[in-house]
């Protein structure tokens, strides 16, 4: 076996134009061949491409483990405070290239594999995307884990090891169909199963109260027990200097087979308990329209919260010996409302299992927990029927009731006699069939509640948490989201990265604030030509992919207009495709006009039970079918819906985008991170003043972004006036014609009434302001056409978008969490990133 590298040695980052160290090259080749033979059981001559991938991944993993164990020991020896990040989603995507890049071994491995007759590019395709998330929430969690490792913050991410993750999306005759995503079918070379790390998670049963030493003691007698088994995946920070763990839980039954039942011939019944336990980790976001689906969702949330808190308490006791100082050594961050049960579970552990008095346990709990809210949609804050809670988690319901007593007593002190205020802040919603409010529970049980953009945090105080903010002033703060530049620039767009290194220096890889040096090149004709060449290269790659997957021929010189995100009414893919219909009509009416060639690119998944969103996908594909085959508009307008959107697909689309669609209804998008990734790669944004679009505008400059539509307060006023949009439609000939075409069957000739429900909503139930914002959006798009035709000006704006995006690094976001919420130190000196309005170039 070759000698493994000393983890204390600095990592060398060779580039393709630099020689690779021969000793390192020989060592890597030897390591890969050794893994191929001893771990995979194959000779080089018999190995498949997937065998080579696993061998290379395992050879890389060996080098990561050295750093991982060293970092773990160092933090425990120092008694360092740890961050525990609880998230139901971790959209980590493919890890192979990401880990190679962060370890500084990308060129070495590529050369070594090439010498062995294997292409690294081919091996990358062998790795499935770990689809353990649905969109921005899960991808943000993945970026945060990487940034915590980069900043040397000792941390563990906790989630569920879903057998199938999010569904695989197939588009059949324009309709979304869902199939299991078998990402584990060939195993997972990155994870370490920890069979010795098992925790018991309980459900159901009843609670007995006994008196012990003058105090009431609750004893939960559960009816069901499920075991949580740990699987650890190392998350590598930049330059491999620190590694943290992502710990995912898999569920199993304590007794996987009832042998006595099996021997009676009831073979299915003998494994029924195992099937029930395993259902917890089968699939991300089960359909919760049925009672069984709602119960499974609650079981999932409690399962991973209970296992995670048991694990972190055990870790703390092993290093500290007592729990009174838990908050000084552990910071638990709840990523959205899904882990809210951490409030009640930590109280149960402290009071029931470790005999803390209630008041002291409550202080520890609030000081330890903090909560990130990601939505202003009340329905997304989650509520559960009291009956379900009582049946599934009886002890936790008791704890919620007791928390609520003290909570409502405070409400009576602050607003005596105000029945409406009391009802508003209560943890139990008495108006809707008695339901437990999980968002309120997370708020009351956390010392810090943060939004994810400046606008979102302000709106939280005015909308969903208005009364709670009055009751607990000062808890709400803002932490604008960020993205990891390592993946979304360096890895996704290597040619642009090389150009940035030339213009800004090698240090830009470590300090993204150096991107500001691009401003000096923004108007330089030679640099603009290089910049456009990189973009064209990326557009060629995307055009090839669209051709291969959809059999649609795309002109790479056209304007690539991109909307990639979860399909939802408030994200307004419907507004985008409606504008495409109006543009199609305009081109048909005047085919001799010099139209700007445009390709509208959509990608995203609709929740399996979200019928209206799935109908929007069908509409996009039906419009595409007509438009793409109409010879009158050939070369002027194409529409492509790329199925099965995931991280890997995003890494191809984002570097190729010219225009970034961020068009959510104002006041409804908490932040967005796709907007940051696209702007970082040189796409101009067309968007509403919503979420992080506002901060992007403030940083890149109002002249380098296209803003349209109503603002959040305008939307509120409009909704109060009513949702009927017939007045708006009457004043807009192009909108009226587009809606009539959709509702009248122009794009569904075989079924003329297919989209009548969409047309009806656009006319009379315009809750998401699609009709109300249409004319402003259409005018902004024609402004984009005019800007596109002035090539130097467009290129300059594109370069300035890249140059002014450093503030949106997830490293900056995590520094703010560490300093303001978690109270943990970070590596290095904070970069000189200034707030909008102060930063050079932000106000002009």
């Amino acid at each position: 076996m070759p000698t493994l590298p000393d983890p204390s040695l600095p990592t060398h980052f060779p580039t393709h134009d630099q020689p690779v160290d021969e000793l390192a090259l020989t060592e890597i080749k030897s390591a890969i061949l050794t893994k191929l033979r001893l771990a995979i059981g194959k000779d080089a001559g018999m190995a498949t491409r997937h065998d080579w991938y696993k061998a290379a991944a395992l050879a890389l993993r060996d080098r990561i483990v050295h750093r991982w164990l060293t970092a773990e020991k160092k933090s425990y020896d120092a008694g360092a405070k740890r961050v525990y990040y609880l998230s139901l989603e971790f959209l980590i995507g493919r890890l192979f290239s990401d880990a190679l890049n962060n370890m500084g071994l990308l060129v070495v491995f590529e050369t070594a594999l090439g010498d062995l007759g294997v292409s690294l590019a081919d091996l990358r395709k062998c790795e499935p995307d770990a689809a353990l998330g649905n969109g921005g929430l899960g991808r943000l969690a993945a970026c945060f884990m990487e940034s915590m490792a980069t900043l040397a913050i000792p941390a563990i991410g906790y989630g569920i090891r879903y057998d199938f993750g999010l569904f695989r999306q197939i588009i059949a005759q324009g309709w979304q169909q869902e199939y299991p995503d078998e990402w584990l079918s060939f195993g997972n070379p990155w994870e370490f199963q920890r069979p010795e790390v098992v925790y018991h998670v309980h459900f159901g049963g009843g609670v007995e109260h006994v008196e012990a030493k003058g105090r009431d003691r609750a004893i939960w007698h559960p009816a069901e027990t499920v075991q949580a088994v740990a699987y650890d995946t190392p998350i590598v920070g930049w330059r491999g200097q620190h590694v943290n763990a992502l710990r995912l839980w898999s569920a199993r039954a304590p007794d996987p087979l009832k042998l006595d039942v099996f021997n009676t011939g009831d073979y299915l019944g003998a494994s029924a308990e195992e099937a029930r336990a395993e259902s917890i980790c089968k699939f991300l976001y089960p359909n919760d329209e049925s009672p069984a689906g709602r119960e499974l969702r609650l079981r999932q949330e409690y399962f991973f919260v209970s296992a995670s808190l048991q694990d972190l308490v055990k870790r703390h006791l092993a290093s500290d010996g007592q729990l009174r100082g838990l908050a000084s050594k552990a910071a638990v961050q709840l990523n959205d409302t899904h882990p809210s049960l951490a409030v009640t579970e930590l109280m149960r552990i402290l009071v029931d299992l470790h005999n803390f008095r209630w008041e002291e346990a409550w202080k520890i709990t609030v000081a330890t927990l903090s909560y990130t809210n990601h939505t202003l949609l009340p329905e997304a804050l989650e509520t559960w029927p009291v009956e379900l809670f009582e049946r599934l988690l009886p002890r936790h319901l008791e704890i919620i009731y007791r928390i609520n007593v003290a909570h409502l007593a405070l409400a009576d002190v602050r607003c005596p006699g105000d029945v409406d205020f009391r009802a508003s802040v209560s943890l139990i919603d008495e108006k809707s069939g008695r339901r437990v409010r999980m968002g309120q529970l997370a708020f009351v049980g956390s010392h810090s509640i943060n939004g994810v953009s400046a606008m979102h945090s302000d709106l939280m105080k005015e909308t969903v948490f208005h009364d709670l903010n009055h009751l607990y002033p000062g808890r709400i703060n803002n932490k604008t989201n960020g993205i990891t530049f390592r993946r979304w620039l360096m890895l996704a767009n290597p040619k642009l990265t090389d150009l940035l290194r030339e213009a800004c220096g090698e240090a830009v890889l470590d300090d993204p604030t150096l991107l500001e040096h691009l401003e000096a090149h923004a108007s330089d004709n030679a640099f603009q030509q290089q910049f456009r060449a990189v973009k064209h290269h990326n557009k060629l790659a995307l055009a090839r992919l669209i051709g291969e997957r959809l059999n649609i021929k795309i002109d790479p010189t056209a304007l690539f207009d991109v909307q990639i995100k979860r399909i939802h009414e408030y994200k307004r893919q419907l507004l985008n495709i409606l504008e495409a219909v109006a543009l199609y009509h305009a081109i048909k009416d005047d085919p001799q006009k010099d139209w700007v060639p445009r390709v509208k690119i959509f990608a995203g998944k609709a929740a399996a039970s979200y019928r209206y969103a799935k109908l929007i996908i069908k509409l996009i594909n039906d419009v595409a079918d007509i438009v793409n085959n109409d010879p009158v508009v050939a070369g002027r307008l194409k529409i492509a819906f790329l199925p099965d959107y995931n991280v890997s697909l995003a890494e191809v689309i984002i570097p190729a985008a010219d225009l970034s669609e961020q068009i959510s209804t104002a006041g409804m998008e908490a932040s967005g991170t796709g907007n940051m990734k696209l702007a970082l790669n040189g796409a101009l944004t067309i968007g509403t003043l919503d979420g992080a679009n506002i901060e992007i505008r403030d940083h890149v400059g109002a002249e380098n972004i296209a803003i349209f539509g109503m603002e959040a307060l305008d939307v509120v006023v409009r909704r109060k006036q009513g949702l009927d949009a017939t007045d708006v439609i009457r004043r807009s000939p192009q909108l009226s014609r587009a809606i009539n075409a959709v509702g009248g069957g122009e794009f569904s000739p075989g079924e003329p009434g297919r989209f009548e429900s969409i047309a009806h909503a656009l006319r009379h139930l315009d809750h998401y302001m699609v009709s109300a914002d249409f004319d402003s959006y259409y005018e902004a798009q024609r402004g984009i056409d005019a800007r596109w035709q002035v090539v130097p000006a467009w290129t300059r704006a594109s370069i300035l978008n890249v140059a002014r995006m450093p503030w949106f690094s997830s490293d900056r976001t995590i520094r703010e969490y560490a300093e303001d919420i978690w109270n943990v130190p970070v590596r290095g000196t904070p970069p000189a990133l200034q707030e909008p309005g102060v930063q050079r170039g932000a106000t002009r």
Side-chain angles (χ1 to χ4, degrees):
M1 288 288 289
T3 303
L4 294 176
D6 182 348
S8 66
L9 293 176
T11 306
H12 175 55
F13 275 57
T15 59
H16 288 281
D17 57 355
Q18 295 174 328
V20 175
D21 180 83
E22 286 298 325
L23 184 61
L25 189 61
T26 301
E27 181 191 330
I28 295 297
K29 286 193 285 190
S30 175
I32 293 172
L33 291 171
T34 299
K35 288 296 179 185
L36 188 66
R37 176 178 286 269
L38 300 183
I40 311 301
K42 293 280 188 76
D43 285 322
M46 298 295 293
T48 66
R49 208 169 52 163
H50 197 275
D51 294 330
W52 281 107
Y53 156 67
K54 286 191 72 175
L58 290 171
L60 174 60
R61 191 183 75 168
D62 284 349
R63 282 140 185 80
I64 294 170
V65 169
H66 277 295
R67 310 289 177 95
W68 185 13
L69 297 180
T70 299
E72 189 89 346
K73 184 178 186 304
K74 184 178 179 181
S75 65
Y76 274 110
D77 288 349
K81 187 174 184 179
R82 307 181 79 80
V83 174
Y84 300 94
Y85 197 83
L86 272 61
S87 179
L88 202 59
E89 299 184 36
F90 285 96
L91 193 57
I92 54 178
R94 293 171 174 169
L95 293 178
F96 186 37
S97 296
D98 201 38
L100 281 172
N101 188 52
N102 280 3
M103 289 288 288
L105 296 171
L106 190 59
V107 175
V108 180
F109 264 70
E110 184 174 31
T111 306
L113 287 165
D115 289 351
L116 294 170
V118 183
S119 164
L120 176 61
D122 288 342
L123 298 198
R124 285 173 172 172
K125 299 173 186 176
C126 293
E127 181 179 14
D129 270 62
L132 305 178
N134 185 36
L137 179 77
R139 185 55 226 167
L140 180 77
C143 283
F144 279 5
M145 288 299 300
E146 200 260 24
S147 281
M148 281 186 267
T150 293
L151 297 175
I153 297 173
I156 297 177
Y158 283 121
I160 295 179
R161 182 181 181 266
Y162 302 103
D163 290 348
F164 295 105
L166 193 64
F167 61 83
R168 182 166 53 93
Q169 181 193 54
I170 300 293
I171 301 299
Q173 297 181 325
W175 291 100
Q176 172 180 294
Q177 295 181 1
E178 303 91 25
Y179 292 88
D181 177 35
E182 300 179 89
W183 74 285
L184 289 171
S185 58
F186 283 91
N188 180 5
W190 301 109
E191 68 185 8
F192 291 84
Q193 183 179 4
R194 307 296 193 193
E196 76 284 4
V197 182
V198 178
Y199 296 99
H200 290 90
V201 179
H202 306 298
F203 298 98
V207 182
E208 176 188 3
H209 288 268
V210 298
E211 187 175 325
K213 298 181 181 180
R215 292 165 57 187
D216 175 77
R217 182 165 178 258
I219 303 173
W220 182 14
H221 299 288
E224 179 188 3
T225 298
V226 173
Q227 290 183 337
V229 183
Y231 287 77
D232 289 349
T233 298
I235 303 297
V236 186
W238 179 233
R239 297 198 181 273
Q241 295 181 41
H242 187 91
V243 181
N244 283 324
L246 173 61
R247 174 160 284 188
L248 303 178
W249 301 104
S250 187
R252 72 183 185 196
D255 187 0
L257 184 68
K258 298 288 187 183
L259 196 55
D260 54 340
V261 177
F262 185 88
N263 288 332
T264 66
D266 185 4
Y267 307 127
L268 293 178
S271 57
E273 287 187 14
E274 178 73 354
R276 178 172 168 78
E278 289 181 351
S279 67
I280 291 174
C281 61
K282 278 294 177 191
F283 184 71
L284 171 67
Y285 294 145
N287 188 338
D288 60 1
E289 287 188 329
S290 67
R294 287 190 290 274
E295 178 177 325
L296 178 56
R297 180 77 169 268
L298 184 56
R299 281 165 63 87
Q300 284 183 329
E301 293 182 3
Y302 177 64
F303 166 78
F304 103 89
V305 162
S306 178
S308 303
L309 289 182
Q310 289 183 65
D311 191 50
L312 75 87
V313 165
K314 182 179 177 182
R315 286 170 176 268
H316 179 80
L317 287 173
S319 62
D320 216 57
Q322 50 82 33
L323 288 172
R324 279 187 171 79
L326 180 64
S328 67
K329 292 296 180 71
V332 178
Q333 189 70 37
L334 311 180
N335 188 31
D336 213 12
T337 314
H338 311 122
S340 299
L341 281 164
V343 177
T344 53
E345 179 66 359
L346 188 52
M347 285 296 292
R348 184 186 74 84
I349 290 171
L350 293 173
V351 173
D352 293 0
L353 304 185
H354 293 275
N355 299 315
F356 276 81
R357 291 187 180 276
W358 180 272
E359 292 75 14
E360 185 177 11
W362 183 244
K363 289 180 181 177
I364 294 170
T365 295
V366 173
T368 303
L369 302 182
S370 47
Y371 162 49
T372 300
N373 173 271
H374 285 274
T375 181
L376 297 171
L377 297 174
E379 63 268 23
L381 293 178
E382 286 193 327
T383 62
W384 299 106
V386 167
E387 176 278 326
L388 175 60
F389 236 94
E390 191 169 35
R391 177 164 50 83
L392 208 61
L393 299 169
R395 176 54 181 153
H396 297 75
L397 185 60
E398 289 185 349
I399 293 171
I400 288 170
Y401 283 152
R402 184 163 177 183
I403 294 171
N404 208 29
V405 168
H407 168 58
L408 293 179
L410 178 61
D412 290 337
V413 171
R414 289 285 173 89
C415 298
D418 191 333
V419 177
D420 290 339
F421 181 82
R422 179 185 172 95
S424 170
V425 300
S426 176
L427 303 185
I428 307 296
D429 181 359
E430 304 284 357
K431 296 179 181 179
S432 306
R434 301 199 74 229
R435 302 178 70 87
V436 180
R437 292 165 159 165
M438 304 307 288
Q440 272 89 337
L441 177 63
F443 192 112
V444 172
S446 299
H447 69 276
S448 168
I449 295 87
N450 72 278
V452 290
S453 72
M455 179 187 185
H456 171 233
S457 299
D458 288 341
L459 286 174
M460 274 172 35
K461 299 175 185 178
E462 301 299 325
T463 57
V464 289
F465 293 137
H466 175 271
D467 290 341
L468 283 171
N469 183 53
H470 178 70
L471 192 55
Y472 301 96
R475 285 195 182 182
I476 294 180
N477 62 92
N478 179 56
K479 298 289 172 282
T480 297
N481 284 343
I483 57 172
T484 171
F485 287 19
R486 271 81 62 180
R487 181 179 282 250
W488 295 108
L489 179 61
M490 298 177 199
L491 199 60
N493 202 341
K495 287 193 175 294
L496 179 57
T497 302
D498 288 343
L499 185 60
L500 300 179
R501 291 163 76 176
E502 291 176 15
C504 305
E506 286 294 315
V508 75
L509 299 178
D510 301 288
D511 182 2
T513 62
L514 297 177
L515 286 174
E516 68 181 13
H517 294 315
L518 281 182
E519 296 208 23
H521 302 277
S523 300
D524 179 77
N525 181 58
F527 186 82
Q528 283 197 0
Q529 288 183 10
Q530 290 178 287
F531 190 88
R532 285 195 295 270
V534 168
K535 180 65 75 172
H536 186 70
H537 169 86
N538 295 332
K539 292 172 74 172
L540 282 171
L542 179 55
R544 283 194 299 270
L545 185 144
I546 291 172
E548 292 166 1
R549 297 193 181 182
L550 301 178
N551 197 28
I552 298 173
K553 188 175 180 179
I554 297 299
D555 177 8
T557 67
L559 190 157
F560 279 21
D561 176 353
V562 168
Q563 188 173 20
I564 45 174
K565 51 186 72 240
R566 179 168 53 96
I567 309 297
H568 197 290
E569 289 168 88
Y570 88 81
K571 295 181 184 290
R572 300 203 295 190
Q573 286 90 354
L574 183 55
L575 176 60
N576 191 348
I577 195 61
L578 202 63
E579 190 269 338
V581 170
L583 178 59
Y584 171 65
H585 288 154
I587 296 172
K588 293 269 287 184
D589 290 345
D590 189 3
Q592 303 308 313
K593 183 178 176 180
D594 185 21
W595 295 96
V596 169
R598 183 183 290 247
V599 181
K600 280 187 173 281
I601 298 163
F602 296 85
K605 297 179 181 180
S609 60
Y610 196 169
R611 296 182 184 87
Y612 195 82
K614 293 167 84 168
L615 187 63
I616 291 172
I617 291 176
K618 175 61 173 170
L619 174 62
I620 292 169
N621 281 286
D622 280 1
V623 172
D625 190 51
I626 296 294
V627 170
N628 294 344
N629 292 291
D630 190 330
V632 176
V633 300
R636 284 88 168 264
L637 180 63
K638 289 286 180 73
I639 301 169
F641 187 100
L642 281 163
D644 205 31
Y645 182 58
N646 56 24
V647 174
S648 297
L649 184 56
E651 290 173 351
V652 180
I653 296 173
I654 287 171
D658 295 306
L659 186 65
S660 165
E661 298 271 355
Q662 308 298 328
I663 59 176
S664 54
T665 310
M668 300 198 73
E669 182 72 85
S671 170
T673 54
N675 47 6
M676 302 170 191
K677 296 163 193 167
L678 286 153
L680 177 65
N681 281 272
L684 270 62
T685 300
I686 182 169
T688 51
L689 286 177
D690 195 32
N693 289 354
I694 297 171
E695 287 150 294
I696 290 176
R697 177 203 62 182
D698 292 343
H699 279 271
V700 305
E703 70 278 15
N704 298 312
I705 190 172
I707 297 296
F708 74 93
M710 290 182 285
E711 297 185 27
L713 291 179
D714 301 326
V715 172
V716 172
V717 171
R718 173 82 188 179
R719 282 178 179 158
K720 288 180 179 178
Q721 294 171 346
L723 300 180
D724 190 276
T726 52
D727 59 330
V728 173
I729 297 168
R730 192 180 304 114
R731 295 193 299 268
S732 175
Q734 67 259 34
L735 173 59
S736 177
R737 183 180 177 187
I739 292 174
N740 290 338
V742 169
E746 181 177 335
F747 302 101
S748 55
E751 188 184 342
R754 179 182 296 152
F755 302 116
E756 177 53 39
S757 61
I758 290 178
H760 177 80
L762 289 168
R763 294 184 183 112
H764 305 295
L765 299 168
D766 193 26
H767 182 75
Y768 297 98
M769 305 293 130
V770 172
S771 294
D773 265 351
F774 178 84
D775 277 359
S776 178
Y777 178 59
Y778 188 85
E779 182 181 353
Q781 287 284 24
R782 303 293 72 78
I784 290 293
D785 286 341
R787 294 183 70 172
W788 177 257
Q789 291 176 306
V790 186
V791 175
W794 180 280
T795 307
R796 181 178 186 276
S798 181
I799 293 169
L800 290 176
N801 266 266
V802 178
R804 296 173 181 174
M805 285 303 291
W807 190 77
F808 295 94
S809 164
S810 53
D811 294 353
R812 184 269 312 159
T813 311
I814 289 300
R815 284 184 187 275
E816 292 181 4
Y817 274 98
E819 293 166 1
D820 301 341
I821 299 176
W822 302 333
N823 192 28
V824 297
V826 299
R827 170 187 284 137
T829 303
L833 294 170
Q834 298 174 322
E835 290 297 326
V838 178
Q839 178 181 343
R840 183 168 66 84
T843 54
R844 285 172 168 75

